[in-house]
Structure formats: structure tokens, C-alpha cells
Amino acid sequence: MRQGRRTGLRRTAAAGLLISSVAVVAVVGKPAVAQDGARGGPLFTFGISTTIRASDNLDLEVVSPGTTIVSETRLTFGFQSVTRTQDFSVQFSDTFEFGSGPHAPDSAGFKRPEFALSYSWEGKNAEFDFDASLTEIDLADSIDNVEGSGSRVNRDVSLRFETGLNDPFGAELILSRAEEDFQDTTSPTLTDSDTTNANAALIFRPNQTTETRLTYGYSFADFDDVLGRERTTRAIGISARIDLDPVSQLSGSIGWNVISEKWTAPALPAVIVLPDRESGVASLRYTRILPAGELALAFDYSLTVVGERADFLFSRGFALPKGVLAFDAGLTQIDDNDVQVVGGLRYLREWPDQAFRINLSSEIIVRNIDTVERKTLASVGYEYQINEIESVDFGLSYSAETNAGGQDIAEGSKITASAIYRRSLTRDWLLETGYLHRITFEEDVDTARSNEVFLRLERGFSWRP
């Protein structure tokens, strides 16, 4: 019974309070890869999840347009091959949807394909990593989104190569590209963007406990906003990491950053080139592993699109006999704004047939379109294992975005409450049913509410040829 409860808890932690087949099927397919793939050799996985959802306000509009019923069948295919020096995995999933009512799919068909590919190789003195992914998130279902409905599509690709792993001198190269596209949204702060990054480092290891790096970074970002922003960031610096003893480490860096920006929108009378922002940057971090947890102190002085930023953070984690407790507390100041308090708390307590969790966080975020926001997240959950095949899960979450300096933003918050019942029909088949209630509060906009019930049947398969 204890193993069954912990499996359910991991599934709940991964899916959070979301009631979407996308999140659930990701959980169905991945554990088999993680557990069986470690043994080496090829491994095939297949996951299926069928969900029927009924909502009285699917896209969280201020005035409900009526009841919507949607059927979603999510199929996930995966392959992994592990050898002594290489690890290759690929996963593809797609959802067949149809329904009736406001904002239901226009026609039956496959929607929201997702893809993930990764490859890593490790030789005697070098290693190589490659990752590519395509994901789509429904913003109305997202816990931490408070800006209405629509979807966000992310396309990411990156590669990394490092040589000289066992030598006094080495080198590292990292290249990446990230695309973020928003569809069917109305918020002006949700802006499409393409970002390309290149970073190179020369590495020097004078001994087994010390590593220093001379680094150069280049980034180009193109934003599809009303100004047509194009932003280039260049950075050069030197960093060092020292193992003070087997349980403590000190690391730090110092450098210089330059941010260049120009506005190229066709509606402007001419291309506008802004003055460069440039500043020295630095960081310092100390970590120590304690008998029952970890302690960390960190200071970071960086350059953002709205000015210099200073962060100080203290972190402490405790490994409890039947759970985990960790908290952060710190201060943040951006440019000439007031010093602001940030922090977080994470708590998990387990019993033989129950689990209780709390997550709190409040941080200051600088968005790419020159806004400074405080993002607050809070959630509490309780899971009870009725018997070996049945469990219930109750959750409540709160998220908010408020102005913390810079340009004005549309402030808002969101509350999500859920109740879920799970039953293992067989060893491999899982049945879930539940209720979801959402409320959103946006500045200068009336409150929006929705109620949803769902029924889901899912299973994951894995086999070796």
C-alpha cells in the first residue's frame, strides 16, 4: 500500500492541480522510461489517456457562454536506448479532440502535438548533449497564469559540447534557440519571441577542488510586439568554484554586460536605436551540506532591461523523518526602486496512508517587454489512500501578478480548487474522476468563474524487443 500511495503522490505532484490530459499523459509515459531505461538497451513505451470534460465556462470568460463538453484522447509514444557511453530518447504525443458547445473544437481532429528528443554522449575526455522539444500549454488550465485564455507554444533546441573533462585545461560551447508563440490571447504582455544564445568558455582546473572559467555570451532576441523590439546582449566574465571541504563549496563570478536594443516596427517613422545599457555584474554563492539538509547563501548583481538588479537569498532545507521542509528568504532591488522581500516555503509530510503538502513562493520577475512584476504562488494539497486501489486528492491554489516597478501591467489573480478520486481498475489501468472550480480576478475586469467535472481512463505500456 505504501508504494501505491507514493506513486499516486508523484503523479499528483507532477500534474499539480491541473485537470488536463496533457499533464497526465506525460506522467503515464515517463516513469516507465526512467525505471526500465536505466538497465540499458532499447525500450519502447506507449501511453493512452481518454478524458471527457464538461465545463460551464471553458475559457473563463466574464459571462459564461454556456456548457461545453469535450472528449480528449491523448496518445504518447516513446523510445529510449541506453548504452555505456550514450543515451538517446524520443517521445511524441498527440491529442484527438471533439466536442460540442462554446469554444469546443471546430471539428474532430488531432490537436496539440508535442515532441521531445534528447541525445547525450560521454567519452573518456569529452561529452556532448543535444535536446529539442515542442510543447503547448493551455493558459486557462495553467495554475500560474492569470491572463485569460489561449495557449502558449514553446519550441526549444540546444546543444552543448565540453572537452578536457579530465585535463587541467578544457573548453565548453553551448548553442540554443527558443521560440515562444501565444495563440488566441488578448493580453498585451504575452508577446511572441525568438531568442538565440551562444556561450563559450575556457576552463582551467589547477587541482581537483578548483575550477575557473573565462566565458563569453551572446544573445539575440526578436519580439513581435507593437514596437518590434530587437535586443542584443553581450557578456564577458570570469568565474571560479572551490570545494572548501567534502561538504561545502564556494563559487563566484565577475564580469561586464551590455544590452543593446532597437525598435523596428513598420508603424514607426524610423528605426529607433536606444542607448546601450551596460554594467559590471557579479555573483557569490556558498553552499554546505548538513547532516539533515542543506544551507545556501547567494548574492547576485546583474543587468536587466530595466536597470541593475541586486538579489540576496538565504536557503535552508531539512530532510525530515517523514517529509521535507525547505524555505528561502531574501531581498531584491531593481535600479532605484525600493528593496523588496522575496521568499518561499515547501513542505511535505507523509504518513502510511496520507500525504500533506504546502508550496509558497513570491518572486520579482523582469519580463522581456520592460515590466517588473511580483509573482506569487501558493498551494496546499491533501491526499488520502482509502485502500490499496483507491485514493482521493484535494487541492487549493492561488496565483497573482502585481506591478513591482517599471511599466504598468494588468494586475490579476487566480484561485483553483480541485477534488479528485482515483481507482486502479487493474495493475495497469487507472480511473480518475473529479471536480475543478476556477476563479480569476483581473484589474478593471469583472470576476470570471468556471465549474468543471471530468472522467479519465489511462494506461501506460512498456516493452523491450
Side-chain angles (χ1 to χ4, degrees):
M1 180 174 4
R2 186 175 180 84
Q3 180 63 34
R5 182 182 63 78
R6 287 187 171 178
T7 301
L9 178 61
R10 285 194 295 269
R11 180 183 293 108
T12 303
L17 303 178
L18 296 183
I19 310 300
S20 66
S21 60
V22 175
V24 172
V25 173
V27 177
V28 174
K30 290 183 178 178
V33 174
Q35 295 168 4
D36 296 338
R39 286 184 264 165
L43 172 70
F44 292 88
T45 60
F46 171 71
I48 181 171
S49 171
T50 298
T51 305
I52 298 177
R53 307 167 59 189
S55 174
D56 63 356
N57 190 358
L58 187 65
D59 277 3
L60 268 178
E61 299 182 15
V62 173
V63 178
S64 171
T67 301
T68 304
I69 299 177
V70 179
S71 173
E72 303 171 332
T73 299
R74 187 76 168 173
L75 302 176
T76 301
F77 306 88
F79 171 78
Q80 183 180 40
S81 176
V82 180
T83 67
R84 185 177 58 84
T85 60
Q86 301 179 74
D87 188 339
F88 172 80
S89 67
V90 60
Q91 183 165 299
F92 174 78
S93 59
D94 210 344
T95 301
F96 184 80
E97 295 182 335
F98 64 90
S100 63
H103 305 296
D106 296 332
S107 60
F110 283 96
K111 311 287 175 66
R112 300 198 310 272
E114 297 192 1
F115 174 80
L117 182 148
S118 67
Y119 171 78
S120 63
W121 167 85
E122 184 175 355
K124 292 183 179 179
N125 203 33
E127 60 184 17
F128 173 81
D129 298 288
F130 175 82
D131 294 279
S133 65
L134 166 68
T135 59
E136 182 172 351
I137 298 176
D138 189 329
L139 296 179
D141 285 343
S142 177
I143 297 174
D144 59 354
N145 173 72
V146 299
E147 298 179 276
S149 59
S151 63
R152 185 183 73 229
V153 180
N154 292 94
R155 304 176 186 89
D156 300 279
V157 60
S158 66
L159 63 86
R160 170 184 169 273
F161 176 74
E162 183 177 350
T163 185
L165 297 176
N166 305 307
D167 296 336
F169 291 95
E172 182 183 56
L173 176 65
I174 302 175
L175 303 175
S176 66
R177 179 175 175 83
E179 299 180 4
E180 187 174 55
D181 295 333
F182 293 92
Q183 301 175 355
D184 302 322
T185 60
T186 58
S187 173
T189 61
L190 301 179
T191 303
D192 296 350
S193 64
D194 299 336
T195 304
T196 302
N197 297 294
N199 295 275
L202 296 177
I203 307 170
F204 174 54
R205 304 180 183 93
N207 52 56
Q208 294 183 345
T209 62
T210 305
E211 178 181 282
T212 62
R213 289 174 175 249
L214 176 63
T215 60
Y216 174 78
Y218 175 88
S219 174
F220 176 76
D222 186 4
F223 303 97
D224 187 19
D225 61 353
V226 294
L227 296 176
R229 302 170 195 259
E230 293 182 357
R231 182 176 299 141
T232 301
T233 303
R234 289 161 291 169
I236 188 169
I238 185 170
S239 63
R241 188 190 73 240
I242 304 173
D243 294 330
L244 302 177
D245 53 54
V247 297
S248 60
Q249 184 181 93
L250 182 66
S251 60
S253 66
I254 187 170
W256 189 263
N257 286 10
V258 179
I259 298 177
S260 306
E261 182 173 311
K262 61 182 179 180
W263 301 346
T264 63
L268 297 175
V271 174
I272 299 176
V273 179
L274 303 183
D276 287 351
R277 287 186 178 272
E278 51 187 318
S279 171
V281 296
S283 68
L284 185 65
R285 180 178 179 85
Y286 170 79
T287 59
R288 182 174 180 83
I289 300 174
L290 302 174
E294 185 179 71
L295 177 148
L297 289 169
F299 171 78
D300 186 68
Y301 188 82
S302 58
L303 178 65
T304 73
V305 295
V306 295
E308 292 86 356
R309 172 172 181 165
D311 294 275
F312 174 78
L313 191 67
F314 169 77
S315 303
R316 182 71 168 93
F318 300 89
L320 305 178
K322 295 183 179 180
V324 176
L325 172 65
F327 68 88
D328 308 315
L331 301 172
T332 293
Q333 184 178 28
I334 299 178
D335 210 20
D336 295 327
N337 295 332
D338 295 336
V339 176
Q340 304 187 67
V341 178
V342 297
L345 173 70
R346 294 165 297 283
Y347 175 71
L348 170 65
R349 176 69 163 88
E350 292 183 301
W351 294 269
D353 59 352
Q354 302 172 66
F356 177 72
R357 58 192 181 275
I358 297 176
N359 287 281
L360 305 172
S361 68
S362 184
E363 58 181 335
I364 304 299
I365 297 175
V366 178
R367 287 202 178 183
N368 289 323
I369 54 173
D370 301 351
T371 62
V372 183
E373 305 172 12
R374 176 177 290 276
K375 194 173 190 69
T376 302
L377 298 174
S379 67
V380 59
Y382 172 75
E383 182 176 356
Y384 176 66
Q385 191 77 25
I386 301 172
N387 50 48
E388 292 186 355
I389 62 173
E390 295 176 288
S391 67
V392 291
D393 193 337
F394 302 95
L396 179 66
S397 71
Y398 169 82
S399 60
E401 292 180 359
T402 56
N403 191 9
Q407 299 183 11
D408 291 336
I409 66 168
E411 298 184 343
S413 59
K414 184 176 185 178
I415 297 175
T416 304
S418 66
I420 304 173
Y421 168 78
R422 297 187 178 92
R423 182 182 178 90
S424 298
L425 302 180
T426 66
R427 189 185 67 174
D428 301 316
W429 286 94
L430 177 68
L431 175 70
E432 288 188 340
T433 185
Y435 167 76
L436 176 70
H437 182 69
R438 295 175 296 175
I439 308 174
T440 59
F441 309 88
E442 292 187 57
E443 188 178 19
D444 301 325
V445 178
D446 291 337
T447 301
R449 302 172 181 269
S450 74
N451 298 279
E452 180 177 315
V453 293
F454 73 95
L455 178 67
R456 178 181 301 114
L457 184 65
E458 63 182 49
R459 180 176 179 178
F461 307 83
S462 65
W463 70 94
R464 294 182 181 276

